[in-house]
Amino acid sequence: MDAPLRWSELEARLALQELPAFHRAFLRLHRPELNPDTLPLRRVQQYVSQTLHALAKEGKARRVDEDFELEAEQIPLPYRDL
C-alpha cells in the first residue's frame, strides 16, 4: 500500500493554470452529480473543500493540521503519479 498523499503537496506539484482541471477531476470522481465542468471556479473550490471534509468524516481521508492526507484511490487517476 502506498503512503497517503498530501492534498497541499499534490496542488503544489501542478502549475497554477492546471489547478482548475485537477479540482474538477476530483469532483467528477467524488461528486459527479454536481457536473463540475459547468460550475464557476469559486463554486468548484467550495465543493472541493466540502468534499475533503466529508471524506475525512467518512474515514477516506485524514485531517492533518490544515491539510488532508488521502489514499491514491481518492485522487483522480491522471494525478495519482505526480
Side-chain angles (χ1 to χ4, degrees), residues 39-65:
L39 295 172
L41 185 55
R42 181 174 297 229
R43 194 64 68 206
V44 169
Q45 292 167 330
Q46 291 171 340
Y47 283 126
V48 164
S49 179
Q50 288 175 4
T51 303
L52 287 167
H53 283 88
L55 289 173
K57 281 185 177 181
E58 295 169 12
K60 296 178 181 177
R62 188 168 77 91
R63 188 81 193 256
V64 179
D65 298 320

Side-chain angles (χ1 to χ4, degrees), residues 14-79:
L14 293 167
L16 185 59
Q17 67 270 18
E18 294 176 35
L19 282 174
F22 171 58
H23 290 159
R24 285 185 167 100
F26 178 75
L27 290 177
R28 280 193 303 275
L29 177 63
H30 293 286
R31 312 262 318 258
E33 73 280 3
L34 296 174
N35 199 4
D37 293 317
T38 64
L39 295 172
L41 185 55
R42 181 174 297 229
R43 194 64 68 206
V44 169
Q45 292 167 330
Q46 291 171 340
Y47 283 126
V48 164
S49 179
Q50 288 175 4
T51 303
L52 287 167
H53 283 88
L55 289 173
K57 281 185 177 181
E58 295 169 12
K60 296 178 181 177
R62 188 168 77 91
R63 188 81 193 256
V64 179
D65 298 320
E66 295 297 315
D67 203 358
F68 292 89
E69 287 184 342
L70 298 97
E71 298 300 327
E73 64 267 9
Q74 303 304 323
I75 305 297
L77 196 56
Y79 299 98

